Amino acid sequence: MTNKCISKTIHKGLWFSIIVGVVLVLSIVFSVIFGVNYAANVGDDKTLTVKMETFFYDNKLEELEDACKDEFDKQGLKVNYTYYGEMSGMNCEVMYVFENASDEKLQSAKAEILSLIDTNTADGGVWHGYVMRVTTSSENANAIPSSYTVKATIVAVVLSLVVGIYVAIRYGVWKGVIACVAPLMAMVFSASIIVLTRIPFTTSVFYAVAVGGLLAEVFTVLTLSKMRGADENEKGEQLVVNGVACKEMLYIGLALGVALLLVGVIATWPVRWFALCALIALDTALYVNLFVVPYALLIVQKCADKKAESKTASGYVGAQKKEDSKE
């Protein structure tokens, strides 16, 4: 989008704002009726973790993985994703996360894997001398604690207020208000879309939404900075239209969008859901700053221009004109 396109959409900012409100209301209604999708296939899963020494992890992990996967296939367990972690000290672990796994099958697989480890680590075994432990657990994420949501909301509001105060001091009070509201609107919009589209809602969604709010704040400040450095002869609509940092926003959006798409292609499903949420947050940040913020800035700028004209009409003249009148 170029600044010429902004000139065609700037007067429709109210309608774009109404769309945000409609999506918010729909997300609330759907949440009340159907509930929020708390990612039953991502968070409410059974896990089996094998802990081992670092030397075994570096040299014989593939043998253990093959043995575990053979046992999972026998039990009919489907591995959703695998997490590899290096612990503190000389320990490492591999955690298998299963989709729709029954406790009976999981415990059976655990017993067989423990038996295999005992056999292979005994005298004469191929893993003799190594020590390994197998544990199982259930990750219950069917509901995100309300305290987590409250804390995330407080952080978002405080951050927006701090940046809004800074912008108000630097660029003016009403522009500070816009800088405060823009990221909040972007975050609400992205969260509403995620809830409405039934994308699995996990704690990682909060991080994605926060990134969108931060980007919205950056885009707003870029536009205000560009307006401040504009030609002094530009006024009103012309100043706002030419001041919107379209190229900067689209370059940043394109770079981040490509990065998130690549992450979604090569990552596991939980990371893909996060990348999708972050992509939605990025799009809503662009939406707010390309369609809503220019409209709000136009209202503020017109009021400022009208105020300046009223001062001139009341008889105010600059210092240079006074000197000319004396001559």
Side-chain angles (χ1 to χ4, degrees):
M1 175 179 287
T2 63
N3 292 81
K4 291 183 179 179
C5 296
I6 296 294
S7 63
K8 298 179 181 179
T9 60
I10 192 170
H11 295 288
K12 301 176 182 179
L14 180 60
W15 291 105
F16 290 115
S17 301
I18 292 175
I19 291 174
V20 176
V22 170
V23 173
L24 172 60
V25 172
L26 288 176
S27 67
I28 294 174
V29 172
F30 273 68
S31 298
V32 171
I33 297 175
F34 302 106
V36 178
N37 180 17
Y38 284 114
N41 291 332
V42 175
D44 187 22
D45 286 328
K46 305 295 187 300
T47 64
L48 184 146
T49 305
V50 183
K51 297 183 179 180
M52 68 208 74
E53 300 171 4
T54 301
F55 187 82
F56 185 93
Y57 183 88
D58 293 335
N59 295 278
K60 295 183 176 292
L61 177 61
E62 188 174 349
E63 297 177 16
L64 176 65
E65 284 193 295
D66 291 340
C68 290
K69 289 178 180 177
D70 288 341
E71 185 59 35
F72 297 153
D73 290 339
K74 291 179 183 178
Q75 299 294 335
L77 295 171
K78 181 180 179 182
V79 178
N80 196 9
Y81 66 96
T82 306
Y83 172 78
Y84 301 89
E86 295 185 9
M87 313 297 288
S88 59
M90 300 297 292
N91 296 318
C92 297
E93 69 175 20
V94 179
M95 182 173 70
Y96 297 98
V97 182
F98 303 96
E99 181 178 356
N100 300 325
S102 67
D103 290 331
E104 182 180 357
K105 290 183 178 180
L106 186 62
Q107 293 304 320
S108 178
K110 176 184 176 181
E112 292 296 329
I113 292 173
L114 280 172
S115 177
L116 176 67
I117 291 174
D118 290 340
T119 301
N120 289 336
T121 55
D123 292 340
V126 293
W127 299 341
H128 176 64
Y130 296 107
V131 177
M132 284 174 277
R133 292 187 298 125
V134 182
T135 60
T136 57
S137 65
S138 177
E139 306 248 341
N140 187 6
N142 279 335
I144 297 175
S146 57
S147 60
Y148 199 101
T149 304
V150 171
K151 290 178 182 178
T153 303
I154 292 174
V155 170
V157 172
V158 170
L159 179 62
S160 299
L161 285 174
V162 170
V163 178
I165 291 171
Y166 164 77
V167 172
I169 295 173
R170 186 172 177 83
Y171 299 102
V173 175
W174 287 109
K175 291 179 180 178
V177 172
I178 294 173
C180 179
V181 173
L184 293 176
M185 178 179 287
M187 287 187 282
V188 168
F189 193 23
S190 59
S192 300
I193 293 175
I194 292 169
V195 171
L196 189 60
T197 54
R198 309 294 294 169
I199 294 174
F201 200 100
T202 63
T203 53
S204 63
V205 171
F206 289 102
Y207 300 106
V209 171
V211 170
L214 182 61
L215 287 172
E217 195 68 77
V218 170
F219 294 157
T220 303
V221 173
L222 283 174
T223 294
L224 292 173
S225 178
K226 191 173 180 181
M227 285 179 60
R228 188 172 189 178
D231 190 338
E232 294 182 357
N233 295 323
E234 293 182 346
K235 301 293 181 182
E237 183 175 334
Q238 182 184 10
L239 175 61
V240 176
V241 169
N242 294 334
V244 178
C246 291
K247 291 183 179 179
E248 293 84 350
M249 285 190 279
L250 293 180
Y251 287 153
I252 295 174
L254 181 62
L256 292 177
V258 171
L260 290 171
L261 288 175
L262 290 175
V263 169
V265 170
I266 65 176
T268 58
W269 270 109
V271 179
R272 287 173 184 166
W273 286 124
F274 169 78
L276 178 59
C277 292
L279 189 61
I280 291 174
L282 170 62
D283 292 338
T284 55
L286 289 170
Y287 176 94
V288 169
N289 278 272
L290 290 174
F291 300 118
V292 180
V293 170
Y295 174 74
L297 288 175
L298 178 61
I299 296 174
V300 172
Q301 191 60 43
K302 283 185 175 180
C303 292
D305 292 342
K306 187 176 181 180
K307 186 176 181 180
E309 290 176 0
S310 64
K311 285 185 178 180
T312 304
S314 64
Y316 171 80
V317 291
Q320 182 63 42
K321 290 186 178 181
K322 288 183 179 180
E323 292 176 1
D324 293 340
S325 62
K326 289 181 180 179
E327 294 178 358

